[in-house]
Amino acid sequence: MISCGMCGHDFTNEEGAACQAGCPISKGCGLVTCPACGYEFPPTSRLVELVKSLLKPRNALGRT
Ligand SMILES: [Zn+2]
């Protein structure tokens, strides 16, 4: 499931992938479209957020 960052609507990757058929950018641009509000964004998961949170402290330790 993907959660829309704009309205919080939960939808499946298949529902969001409807964008990719008629996307003005390119076919299969990788963005998902919220069926509720039309907001387009790259699909992220809690796993991605977890990885981000794990990488952040390492960067903060002085390794730029
Ligand atoms: Zn939405």
Side-chain angles (χ1 to χ4, degrees):
M1 291 293 275
I2 301 169
S3 288
C4 175
M6 190 68 77
C7 70
H9 179 71
D10 288 329
F11 56 97
T12 66
N13 201 27
E14 269 186 4
E15 288 176 303
C19 150
Q20 297 178 7
C23 182
I25 300 173
S26 66
K27 191 176 180 182
C29 66
L31 292 179
V32 296
T33 304
C34 175
C37 71
Y39 178 57
E40 286 188 32
F41 55 98
T44 55
S45 65
R46 284 181 182 175
L47 181 62
V48 174
E49 296 300 321
L50 178 65
V51 172
K52 280 183 183 175
S53 68
L54 288 176
L55 291 176
K56 245 182 186 178
R58 189 184 299 171
N59 290 339
L61 286 177
R63 188 168 183 262
T64 45

